[in-house]
Amino acid sequence: MLDIQFVRENPCAFDENIAKRGFPPQAEQVLQWDAAWRVLVLQINQLQEKKNQLSQQIRLAPENEVLRLQVQNLKEQLEKLEPECEKYAHRVHEKLITLPNMLMPDVPIGKNDEENVELMRWGKPRDFDFTPRQHFELGENIEQMDFKRAAKISGTRFVVLRRDLARLHRALGQFMLNLHVDEHHFEEVAVPYFVRPESMMATAHLPKFDNGFCTRDDYWLIPSAEVSLINLFRDEVIDPARLPIKVAAYTPCFRSEAGAAGRDTRGMIRMHQFHKVELVTLAHPQKWRESLDETIHCAEKILRLLELPYRQMQLCSGDCAVKETYAVDGEVWFPGQNRYREVCTWACTSDYQSRRANIRINQTNAQNRKIHPYIIYGSGTAIERVFAAILENYQHENGAIAIPAVLQPFMKGQTVIL
């Protein structure tokens, strides 16, 4: 959520920033509602103060009918003004929770992912002496990846994994979480997968969330453990000495993937149910970049240990999510598709989410208000997509799949899946 104080002090910069995402100017309308609200607040406070003074006088002269009439008149005025005041406050709030976060100055301007900027590459894609298959062909050929039975159970965009592939999938999640907890010193947290609407609101997934799943009794299935992890600290004041706070969770994630019709209809790239190891850091505003770089390093360590060629792509203004002020994608090489595919996003949301979640640091700013931590989140990483990348990068001509060395201890020393 945006800070109304920032809009008041920087209306032109505010409009220029949201224009990078294709939004029309908003500051004038927001400030008109805000000004009307502030006038009404002043009037209400003045009337309330006068009413309190008269009430004190009535205690000394309970039979004074003139005073009672004056108090009644003030009460009636307040009853008219307070709903009007609330109306303008509501308009400002509703506008601010739907407008996007302010982008960092160095975010490139662009319309979509085709205008993202490559930052670096690691690893050289393998040269195959045969035509590499896609992951779903490999999995189906060894009869351990079953989309037909998954569709019988749940519909499209689900998968059943069996035997060695099921074990490899589980091993991948354990490997990732162990590394982040044991080596990168994130606190492991087991979180709920169902959350209330206020939890989704706090992380900016509501009021607009076009690809989520909601139950009949108004629970939301988490689109990522990001929601649960951030809400651990909702409505709390944090000692600055505790920062940065680093938490991680390995969970299933649920998305309807609306808007993706016709894209990745086969395979495990775009699923309704998938798994992620999510990394969330609450950082001091002055140290957000340090924490973001650490999150990126942690996820990159996974890809390097798995020996998967990848690249970093800085997201342009049109590809950044509404909540993101700065974001980078990790894209892994998929030889079966002959292209890089996104497997994780690492992003800073500044105080956009922490303001919505009412998370504060016990430290005040120039206006004597408690400051909000910056929130950094990132996949460490997405299991299904990295799993698919492993199948494609480690395949043999006969359809066998080698198991990355770092995963073999989780597979009882097994080195290949036939």
Side-chain angles (χ1 to χ4, degrees):
M1 180 175 179
L2 298 170
D3 183 4
I4 185 60
Q5 190 64 31
F6 175 83
V7 184
R8 291 169 184 161
E9 296 174 358
N10 307 277
C12 293
F14 168 75
D15 278 341
E16 288 171 4
N17 201 297
I18 63 173
K20 296 176 182 179
R21 301 182 188 255
F23 279 74
Q26 303 284 332
E28 183 178 1
Q29 179 66 83
V30 171
L31 292 177
Q32 284 179 358
W33 292 335
D34 178 59
W37 171 77
R38 287 195 286 172
V39 167
L40 288 166
V41 166
L42 180 61
Q43 292 177 354
I44 288 170
N45 288 341
Q46 290 172 341
L47 290 172
Q48 189 64 54
E49 183 179 359
K50 190 172 181 180
K51 178 174 171 286
N52 292 341
Q53 290 172 351
L54 290 175
S55 296
Q56 289 284 355
Q57 295 177 32
I58 288 176
R59 289 191 183 94
L60 299 175
E63 304 303 324
N64 191 323
E65 198 60 33
V66 174
L67 290 177
R68 289 186 177 280
L69 289 173
Q70 290 177 336
V71 168
Q72 181 61 33
N73 181 52
L74 291 171
K75 183 179 178 181
E76 291 172 359
Q77 291 183 60
L78 286 168
E79 288 175 350
K80 291 179 181 179
L81 291 178
E82 285 171 347
E84 190 74 4
C85 182
E86 179 61 30
K87 178 183 73 174
Y88 285 110
H90 180 74
R91 286 180 179 177
V92 171
H93 177 77
E94 290 300 300
K95 178 60 70 173
L96 292 181
I97 64 171
T98 56
L99 289 176
N101 198 1
M102 297 291 97
L103 295 166
M104 291 291 179
D106 55 343
V107 172
I109 307 302
K111 294 180 181 179
N112 52 45
D113 59 0
E114 294 181 0
E115 298 183 72
N116 293 340
V117 176
E118 184 173 319
L119 299 176
M120 59 83 74
R121 291 191 183 197
W122 183 91
K124 183 179 182 298
R126 171 185 163 193
D127 291 324
F128 289 83
D129 55 8
F130 61 92
T131 302
R133 300 180 179 90
Q134 296 195 57
H135 65 278
F136 51 84
E137 298 174 294
L138 294 162
E140 289 175 329
N141 285 347
I142 60 175
E143 298 182 346
Q144 295 186 36
M145 184 181 291
D146 195 330
F147 294 96
K148 291 182 179 179
R149 283 188 171 90
K152 178 173 65 175
I153 299 167
S154 303
T156 59
R157 297 190 187 273
F158 291 91
V159 67
V160 170
L161 299 176
R162 309 180 77 157
R163 300 188 297 279
D164 290 340
L165 287 191
R167 189 182 189 111
L168 181 66
H169 183 274
R170 174 163 55 89
L172 192 56
Q174 290 177 317
F175 158 66
M176 291 179 182
L177 188 58
N178 286 355
L179 185 70
H180 294 316
V181 172
D182 297 338
E183 184 174 321
H184 300 146
H185 308 299
F186 279 78
E187 177 189 349
E188 181 176 352
V189 186
V191 297
Y193 305 157
F194 281 31
V195 295
R196 301 299 298 171
E198 52 267 31
S199 295
M200 294 284 282
M201 186 72 72
T203 54
H205 289 89
L206 289 179
K208 294 183 178 180
F209 189 51
D210 297 331
N211 64 341
F213 285 109
C214 185
T215 67
R216 289 183 178 179
D217 50 355
D218 208 25
Y219 282 97
W220 287 82
L221 280 70
I222 58 170
S224 164
E226 166 203 348
V227 176
S228 300
L229 290 172
I230 291 174
N231 277 278
L232 288 173
F233 308 97
R234 194 174 77 211
D235 296 323
E236 293 187 10
V237 178
I238 298 169
D239 184 340
R242 292 180 59 198
L243 300 175
I245 296 173
K246 299 162 45 178
V247 288
Y250 173 32
T251 70
C253 308
F254 306 92
R255 298 182 194 175
S256 66
E257 294 293 357
R263 292 181 58 191
D264 302 308
T265 54
R266 293 193 67 187
M268 297 177 63
I269 299 298
R270 202 171 294 274
M271 310 287 287
H272 290 316
Q273 174 186 300
F274 57 98
H275 299 76
K276 277 204 300 179
V277 174
E278 190 73 8
L279 308 176
V280 168
T281 301
L282 275 62
H284 192 281
Q286 295 176 355
K287 296 185 177 181
W288 73 269
R289 189 57 197 248
E290 179 181 319
S291 291
L292 176 62
D293 288 344
E294 181 185 14
T295 299
I296 293 174
H297 165 75
C298 293
E300 284 185 318
K301 183 71 176 288
I302 296 290
L303 301 179
R304 294 188 183 198
L305 288 173
L306 291 170
E307 300 184 72
L308 294 173
Y310 71 90
R311 66 181 183 178
Q312 284 185 16
M313 300 293 291
Q314 182 179 0
L315 273 57
C316 70
S317 57
D319 200 29
C320 282
V322 166
K323 59 192 172 184
E324 294 168 352
T325 185
Y326 185 97
V328 175
D329 272 356
E331 296 185 350
V332 166
W333 179 253
F334 279 70
Q337 300 182 37
N338 194 37
R339 59 180 290 203
Y340 286 94
R341 297 299 306 264
E342 176 214 333
V343 299
C344 42
T345 298
W346 313 298
C348 174
T349 65
S350 63
D351 60 358
Y352 190 85
Q353 290 178 307
S354 57
R355 187 179 300 279
R356 295 170 76 110
N358 193 32
I359 306 170
R360 292 148 293 157
I361 302 172
N362 197 17
Q363 179 180 338
T364 55
N365 58 16
Q367 289 78 38
N368 202 33
R369 294 187 298 172
K370 285 185 171 62
I371 63 175
H372 299 271
Y374 276 25
I375 292 178
I376 291 88
Y377 69 86
S379 305
T381 63
I383 307 296
E384 271 73 5
R385 293 191 179 193
V386 172
F387 175 86
I390 289 172
L391 300 192
E392 294 194 15
N393 281 277
Y394 281 83
Q395 63 180 292
H396 294 305
E397 187 172 9
N398 66 354
I401 300 155
I403 298 172
V406 292
L407 297 182
Q408 291 173 16
F410 298 89
M411 301 285 291
K412 290 189 174 182
Q414 185 176 346
T415 60
V416 67
I417 296 173
L418 297 172

